[in-house]
């Protein structure tokens, strides 16, 4: 199986982590934004990463891909079967991919993607505004909802946690650490998720790649 894209994308990383947690072997074919690689384009007609291939089957969109992975390898089940738990896990996945990632994108795109990869100045005012005004209420929202078990749904690892951990990798990359005094639950939750063997190596690789390119602009 092949995933097309860059692990710096929270959507691509979500798929890589989900596959690792299911012990599925998956290769990453590293590509930049809107790559014109024909195999990638076959999998992702709109050019959005991740694209995915399993033999003659291709699909895109991280949520569709993880649904496929969960179906072909049922154990461990990372998308719960019970109706309410299933709905809740998919809700968290959606919140991570939309609300949190929209805020993250303003910071990551302007401080990293634009200056480092596209070689043009990012809109640092937009990034600062997102960090100062949009991020705090999101972290408050999460702080109020993390169960004592440290997992968002059913007191065990599910898609909800895998998805929610991803924008926080990018928040970390752009120098927006979580204040553990103000948000102790989020700090502990994200630290535990980011320490998992399925995620930690990607974070280390990405940090090293960013350092090599001179670090972020803030
Ligand atoms: N909902 C999609 C979002 C995919 C997406 O927006 N990917 C971004 C990278 S983080 C992309 O490829 N952007 C290229 C573009 O917007 O042209 C998913 O979950 O896979």
């Amino acid at each position: 199986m092949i995933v097309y894209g860059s692990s710096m994308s929270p959507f691509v990383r979500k798929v890589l982590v989900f596959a690792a947690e299911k012990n599925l072997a998956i290769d990453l074919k590293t590509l930049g934004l809107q790559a014109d690689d024909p195999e990638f384009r076959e999998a992702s007609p709109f050019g959005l990463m991740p694209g995915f291939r399993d033999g003659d089957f291709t699909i895109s969109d991280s949520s569709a891909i993880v649904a496929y992975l969960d179906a072909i390898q049922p154990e461990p089940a990372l998308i719960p079967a019970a109706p309410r738990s299933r709905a809740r896990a998919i809700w968290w996945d959606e919140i991570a991919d939309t609300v949190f990632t929209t805020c993250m994108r303003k910071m990551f795109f302007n401080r990293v993607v634009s200056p480092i990869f596209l070689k043009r100045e990012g809109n640092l005012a937009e990034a600062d505004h997102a960090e100062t005004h949009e991020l705090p209420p999101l972290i408050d929202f999460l702080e109020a909802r993390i169960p004592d078990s440290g997992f968002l749904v059913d007191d065990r690892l599910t898609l909800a946690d895998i998805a929610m951990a991803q924008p926080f990798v990018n928040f970390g990359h752009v120098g927006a650490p979580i204040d553990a005094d103000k948000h102790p639950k989020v700090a502990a939750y994200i630290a535990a998720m980011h320490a998992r063997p399925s995620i930690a190596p990607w974070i280390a690789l990405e940090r090293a790649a960013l350092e090599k390119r001179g670090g972020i602009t803030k």
Side-chain angles (χ1 to χ4, degrees):
M1 292 187 284
I2 303 171
V3 179
Y4 302 93
S6 161
S7 78
M8 298 236 189
S9 156
F11 306 110
V12 173
R13 199 185 312 103
K14 180 173 90 183
V15 171
L16 294 166
V17 171
F18 192 94
E21 292 286 354
K22 291 186 87 74
N23 296 311
L24 282 166
I26 201 158
D27 292 324
L28 173 65
K29 181 165 182 184
T30 300
L31 297 172
L33 290 176
Q34 287 291 342
D36 55 10
D37 179 291
E39 286 185 10
F40 164 61
R41 286 290 173 155
E42 186 192 351
S44 184
F46 297 103
L48 299 177
M49 61 172 78
F52 172 85
R53 176 180 301 274
D54 183 10
D56 62 357
F57 175 70
T58 58
I59 193 142
S60 55
D61 191 282
S62 60
S63 300
I65 298 166
V66 299
Y68 176 78
L69 297 179
D70 211 53
I72 61 166
Q73 173 102 327
E75 296 296 331
L78 296 178
I79 303 179
R84 293 181 185 193
S85 302
R86 188 177 186 82
R88 188 60 66 198
I90 289 169
W91 180 79
W92 277 114
D93 178 43
E94 186 65 15
I95 299 276
D97 283 3
T98 56
V99 181
F100 279 73
T101 299
T102 298
C103 172
M104 179 281 287
R105 189 179 180 281
K106 292 176 189 166
M107 294 158 68
F108 192 68
F109 191 85
N110 289 311
R111 291 178 184 165
V112 173
V113 179
S114 224
I116 295 182
F117 297 107
L118 304 179
K119 304 287 177 215
R120 53 175 201 243
E121 216 173 289
N123 182 342
L124 296 182
E126 182 182 63
D128 292 347
H129 185 272
E131 179 170 351
T132 311
H133 298 286
E134 296 175 30
L135 183 56
L138 296 183
I139 300 189
D140 289 343
F141 170 89
L142 188 56
E143 180 74 17
R145 285 165 180 80
I146 296 174
D148 290 342
S149 66
F151 296 106
L152 293 171
V153 178
D154 284 358
D155 298 328
R156 67 177 183 85
L157 182 77
T158 68
L159 169 62
D161 307 299
I162 293 171
M164 190 50 74
Q166 303 316 321
F168 281 90
V169 173
N170 298 69
F171 287 136
H173 288 337
V174 295
I178 302 152
D179 181 344
D181 290 331
K182 205 168 162 205
H183 298 108
K185 286 187 176 180
V186 175
Y189 171 70
I190 293 300
M193 283 304 299
H194 288 184
R196 294 183 76 88
S198 59
I199 305 187
W202 292 113
I203 299 175
L205 265 177
E206 293 167 26
R207 289 251 164 89
L210 292 175
E211 290 294 323
K212 204 172 151 194
R213 288 168 178 262
I216 67 151
T217 312
K218 196 176 175 187

